[in-house]
Amino acid sequence: MKRRAFITLLGGAAAAWPLAARAQQPAMPLVGFLSDSSPETNADLSAAFRKGLNEAGFTEGRNVAIESRWASAQFDRLPGLAADLVRRQVAVIAATGSLPTVLAAKEATATIPIVFNTGADPVKAGLVVALNKPGSNLTGITSVNNQLGSKWVGLMHELLPSATRFAVLVNPKFRMNTVDMVTDVQAAAAAVGLQVEVLSASTSSELETALASVVQKPAGALMITPDPLFLDRRAQIATLALHHGVPAIYVNRAFPEVGGLMSYGSNWTDTYRQVGVYCGRILKGATPADLPVQQQTKFLLVINLKTAKALGLRIPDRLLALADEVIE
């Protein structure tokens, strides 16, 4: 063989080696991220999910790909979004934010692993057989936020000892995830002689009407149940509550961050991180049946002193001492 021909052949073979190596590399696993909310209002939570994946050894774009689907508080979109992730043949689905999200994923597949986070009781909701042995293709994190009603009543009663009536805001399209919380609030309120009125809102205009009614039928405080619409509209709710002079409490610190008075609930950021960790473990070969449902134990009390001052409220020293964070 002539030297020139040999060099050309050798050069062609060398150029082909990287292509062959790339062809032999396995495709990156695909993770589906399903949320009932919107990406604009959940950037911190999706970042926490990615952090959990990273802790488990997976970095987006390097050794894992993520397909996100957002319902933007339109619950009727969830089944179609979940079905789309199944068609994409994802390796695992992170069903985040609410019970309807988890149920949509559960309905879409009985084989693809699903990692959820929910404030509901997973056993009572029919997601798993038992917390320590899920028994299906689902596992995840429960934050038991729906059992926080009595704690909310206690906090607001301590802040407003002369109040005789509280209001609770719910989304009528989302009652399955808040019915336990409302029941808990009503029982705790009755135990200390307080009346409770349940207000409903499923649109921005209905939020304005609901907040105005708190003044028309005077309530000492407003409790805002967990809901993707309320989370997305948290700035509107905080502004309306301040405008009407109504002290309000929510389940997530995102509320006092935008001017709400107070929040008490599980650490959502840590919950999403744990969902990411579980998804990573499943990518490494674990099955949902191997992973017991975790119960969130980190709860945060956040108080916005600036809002308290604007409402003419003095926060008791004991509540300030209990607070994990005080916004001034």
Side-chain angles (χ1 to χ4, degrees):
M1 181 181 293
K2 293 183 178 181
R3 183 173 182 274
R4 184 185 300 274
F6 177 75
I7 292 174
T8 301
L9 178 62
L10 182 62
W17 289 340
L19 295 175
R22 285 197 295 270
Q24 293 172 3
Q25 290 177 354
M28 284 192 294
L30 185 61
V31 173
F33 183 88
L34 181 63
S35 172
D36 55 16
S37 195
S38 61
E40 296 79 14
T41 57
N42 282 265
D44 58 332
L45 299 180
S46 58
F49 170 73
R50 285 168 169 78
K51 180 181 178 183
L53 272 175
N54 186 259
E55 290 177 12
F58 294 92
T59 301
E60 185 179 14
R62 182 171 64 84
N63 59 354
V64 72
I66 301 174
E67 281 284 337
S68 298
R69 296 292 183 272
W70 304 88
S72 297
Q74 300 176 46
F75 299 114
D76 57 345
R77 297 183 58 206
L78 286 168
L81 295 175
D84 185 46
L85 290 175
V86 173
R87 284 192 294 271
R88 292 299 309 274
Q89 298 183 332
V90 297
V92 58
I93 296 175
T96 66
S98 70
L99 182 56
T101 308
V102 188
L103 293 176
K106 183 175 183 287
E107 183 67 24
T109 179
T111 55
I112 296 175
I114 297 169
V115 180
F116 59 77
N117 71 318
T118 179
D121 181 335
V123 177
K124 184 177 178 181
L127 303 179
V128 298
V129 176
L131 296 182
N132 61 334
K133 294 184 178 180
S136 66
N137 63 317
L138 286 85
T139 189
I141 319 298
T142 177
S143 54
V144 295
N145 281 327
N146 283 353
Q147 300 174 24
L148 293 178
S150 58
K151 184 68 175 181
W152 281 9
V153 171
L155 289 169
M156 298 309 277
H157 186 51
E158 184 168 351
L159 175 64
L160 305 159
S162 61
T164 60
R165 183 174 170 273
F166 290 162
V168 181
L169 181 66
V170 302
N171 185 341
K173 296 180 180 180
F174 193 50
R175 288 189 184 278
M176 72 168 68
N177 205 45
T178 57
V179 62
D180 289 342
M181 174 171 275
V182 172
T183 300
D184 197 26
V185 166
Q186 291 171 328
V192 291
L194 295 171
Q195 296 180 335
V196 174
E197 180 176 0
V198 179
L199 306 176
S200 298
S202 57
T203 65
S204 292
S205 60
E206 289 178 356
L207 281 173
E208 294 183 8
T209 302
L211 268 291
S213 72
V214 177
V215 180
Q216 295 165 1
K217 301 177 181 178
L222 175 65
M223 303 178 185
I224 306 159
T225 58
D227 183 271
L229 173 68
F230 301 159
L231 181 61
D232 286 354
R233 300 288 189 272
R234 58 185 180 269
Q236 178 190 6
I237 295 173
T239 300
L240 287 170
L242 184 59
H243 173 72
H244 292 296
V246 179
I249 187 170
Y250 189 54
V251 73
N252 187 290
R253 72 184 300 276
F255 183 63
E257 280 182 343
V258 296
L261 175 63
M262 187 186 302
S263 69
Y264 181 80
S266 62
N267 186 331
W268 285 18
T269 301
D270 189 63
T271 298
Y272 275 71
R273 182 193 64 79
Q274 291 181 57
V275 171
V277 170
Y278 258 22
C279 285
R281 291 182 63 179
I282 287 173
L283 292 178
K284 288 183 173 179
T287 66
D290 299 327
L291 302 173
V293 175
Q294 298 291 324
Q295 298 187 66
Q296 176 61 265
T297 58
K298 297 181 180 179
F299 292 84
L300 303 176
L301 173 62
V302 182
I303 299 172
N304 188 318
L305 279 184
K306 183 178 178 181
T307 300
K309 183 178 179 180
L311 290 168
L313 294 174
R314 180 189 175 279
I315 305 296
D317 291 339
R318 198 186 84 87
L319 288 187
L320 290 175
L322 289 174
D324 297 276
E325 181 180 355
V326 175
I327 300 174
E328 301 187 58

